[in-house]
Amino acid sequence: MTTDDLLDAMPFARTLGIGIDAAAPEEVAGRLAWAPERCTAGGVMHGGALMALADSVGAVCAFLNLPPGASTTTLESKTNFFRAVRGGEVRAVARPLHAGRTSIVVQTDLHDAEGRRVAQVTQTQAVLSR
Protein backbone atom coordinates (compact mmCIF):
# COMPACT_ATOMS: atom_id res chain seq x y z
CA MET A 1 0.00 0.00 0.00
CA THR A 2 1.45 3.39 -1.00
CA THR A 3 1.32 6.60 1.03
CA ASP A 4 -1.22 7.94 -1.50
CA ASP A 5 -3.41 4.86 -0.90
CA LEU A 6 -3.23 5.50 2.84
CA LEU A 7 -4.28 9.14 2.39
CA ASP A 8 -7.09 8.14 0.01
CA ALA A 9 -8.51 6.02 2.84
CA MET A 10 -8.72 9.20 4.99
CA PRO A 11 -10.56 11.88 2.98
CA PHE A 12 -10.52 14.36 5.89
CA ALA A 13 -6.72 14.16 6.14
CA ARG A 14 -6.43 14.74 2.40
CA THR A 15 -8.83 17.72 2.59
CA LEU A 16 -6.88 19.22 5.49
CA GLY A 17 -3.64 19.02 3.47
CA ILE A 18 -1.87 16.35 5.49
CA GLY A 19 0.95 14.55 3.71
CA ILE A 20 2.38 11.12 4.51
CA ASP A 21 6.10 10.91 3.73
CA ALA A 22 6.92 7.38 4.90
CA ALA A 23 4.88 4.54 6.34
CA ALA A 24 6.09 1.34 7.99
CA PRO A 25 4.75 -0.57 11.00
CA GLU A 26 7.57 0.74 13.23
CA GLU A 27 7.29 4.41 12.16
CA VAL A 28 5.03 6.70 10.14
CA ALA A 29 6.10 10.23 9.17
CA GLY A 30 3.81 12.99 7.94
CA ARG A 31 3.48 16.75 7.71
CA LEU A 32 1.09 19.68 7.63
CA ALA A 33 2.00 23.16 6.42
CA TRP A 34 0.97 26.29 8.30
CA ALA A 35 -1.75 28.19 6.43
CA PRO A 36 -4.04 31.06 7.50
CA GLU A 37 -7.15 28.85 7.14
CA ARG A 38 -5.67 26.41 9.69
CA CYS A 39 -5.20 29.12 12.32
CA THR A 40 -6.91 30.57 15.33
CA ALA A 41 -6.45 34.14 16.65
CA GLY A 42 -3.07 35.75 16.09
CA GLY A 43 -2.00 33.49 13.23
CA VAL A 44 -1.38 30.47 15.48
CA MET A 45 -2.07 27.07 13.95
CA HIS A 46 -5.25 25.70 15.51
CA GLY A 47 -4.80 22.90 18.04
CA GLY A 48 -7.47 20.92 16.22
CA ALA A 49 -5.37 20.97 13.04
CA LEU A 50 -2.37 19.70 15.01
CA MET A 51 -4.49 17.01 16.63
CA ALA A 52 -5.90 15.97 13.24
CA LEU A 53 -2.34 15.61 11.91
CA ALA A 54 -1.33 13.46 14.89
CA ASP A 55 -4.53 11.40 14.77
CA SER A 56 -4.14 10.73 11.04
CA VAL A 57 -0.47 9.75 11.21
CA GLY A 58 -1.12 7.71 14.36
CA ALA A 59 -4.05 5.94 12.72
CA VAL A 60 -1.85 4.91 9.80
CA CYS A 61 0.69 3.53 12.29
CA ALA A 62 -2.05 1.57 14.08
CA PHE A 63 -3.45 0.31 10.76
CA LEU A 64 -0.02 -0.98 9.72
CA ASN A 65 0.22 -2.93 12.99
CA LEU A 66 -3.15 -4.67 12.68
CA PRO A 67 -3.44 -8.42 12.25
CA PRO A 68 -4.81 -9.55 8.85
CA GLY A 69 -8.51 -8.84 8.41
CA ALA A 70 -8.83 -6.48 11.40
CA SER A 71 -9.74 -2.80 11.43
CA THR A 72 -9.25 -0.06 14.02
CA THR A 73 -10.85 2.96 15.60
CA THR A 74 -9.61 5.50 18.12
CA LEU A 75 -10.66 4.80 21.71
CA GLU A 76 -8.71 7.56 23.45
CA SER A 77 -6.38 10.41 22.51
CA LYS A 78 -4.38 12.70 24.78
CA THR A 79 -2.50 15.75 23.55
CA ASN A 80 0.09 17.86 25.33
CA PHE A 81 0.82 21.17 23.59
CA PHE A 82 4.23 22.77 24.18
CA ARG A 83 4.52 25.72 21.78
CA ALA A 84 2.62 27.68 19.17
CA VAL A 85 3.16 27.28 15.43
CA ARG A 86 3.12 30.58 13.53
CA GLY A 87 4.59 29.47 10.21
CA GLY A 88 6.46 26.77 8.35
CA GLU A 89 5.49 23.16 8.51
CA VAL A 90 4.72 20.73 11.31
CA ARG A 91 6.30 17.28 11.02
CA ALA A 92 4.77 14.26 12.74
CA VAL A 93 6.38 10.94 13.62
CA ALA A 94 4.22 8.14 15.02
CA ARG A 95 5.59 5.00 16.66
CA PRO A 96 3.77 2.09 18.29
CA LEU A 97 4.24 1.79 22.03
CA HIS A 98 2.14 -1.38 22.22
CA ALA A 99 0.60 -3.58 19.52
CA GLY A 100 -1.56 -6.18 21.22
CA ARG A 101 -4.50 -8.44 20.43
CA THR A 102 -7.20 -5.94 21.46
CA SER A 103 -5.49 -2.55 21.39
CA ILE A 104 -2.66 -0.60 19.82
CA VAL A 105 -1.10 2.41 21.58
CA VAL A 106 0.70 4.94 19.40
CA GLN A 107 2.80 7.96 20.36
CA THR A 108 3.04 10.80 17.84
CA ASP A 109 5.57 13.59 18.24
CA LEU A 110 5.01 16.89 16.43
CA HIS A 111 7.92 19.24 15.65
CA ASP A 112 8.06 22.65 13.98
CA ALA A 113 10.32 23.64 11.08
CA GLU A 114 13.15 24.39 13.54
CA GLY A 115 12.90 20.90 15.06
CA ARG A 116 11.30 22.10 18.33
CA ARG A 117 8.66 19.87 19.91
CA VAL A 118 5.21 21.38 19.36
CA ALA A 119 3.08 18.62 20.88
CA GLN A 120 3.01 14.99 21.89
CA VAL A 121 -0.05 12.81 21.34
CA THR A 122 -0.71 9.35 22.77
CA GLN A 123 -3.67 7.49 21.35
CA THR A 124 -5.22 4.11 22.01
CA GLN A 125 -6.75 2.29 19.05
CA ALA A 126 -9.10 -0.67 19.34
CA VAL A 127 -8.33 -3.76 17.28
CA LEU A 128 -11.65 -4.71 15.68
CA SER A 129 -12.15 -8.21 14.27
CA ARG A 130 -14.43 -8.64 11.30
Side-chain angles (χ1 to χ4, degrees):
M1 186 171 261
T2 69
T3 56
D4 276 341
D5 293 335
L6 294 166
L7 279 173
D8 287 342
M10 300 183 297
F12 179 70
R14 174 99 52 205
T15 298
L16 199 59
I18 292 170
I20 303 288
D21 298 317
E26 60 279 353
E27 183 176 289
V28 177
R31 63 191 145 59
L32 180 63
W34 179 95
E37 62 272 14
R38 297 184 188 120
C39 289
T40 186
V44 173
M45 188 180 272
H46 195 286
L50 296 169
M51 292 169 72
L53 169 61
D55 185 67
S56 298
V57 173
V60 170
C61 186
F63 172 77
L64 294 174
N65 281 281
L66 287 172
S71 63
T72 186
T73 189
T74 304
L75 290 176
E76 185 265 343
S77 182
K78 183 196 184 308
T79 304
N80 287 95
F81 294 105
F82 303 117
R83 69 177 56 249
V85 176
R86 291 185 171 86
E89 181 175 79
V90 177
R91 311 231 10 111
V93 176
R95 295 179 182 99
L97 298 177
H98 168 76
R101 279 185 315 102
T102 60
S103 67
I104 298 171
V105 180
V106 176
Q107 178 177 303
T108 304
D109 296 304
L110 303 179
H111 291 86
D112 65 14
E114 286 78 42
R116 300 174 297 188
R117 187 184 304 272
V118 171
Q120 183 175 50
V121 178
T122 304
Q123 65 190 87
T124 303
Q125 300 274 137
V127 175
L128 306 172
S129 300
R130 291 188 182 164

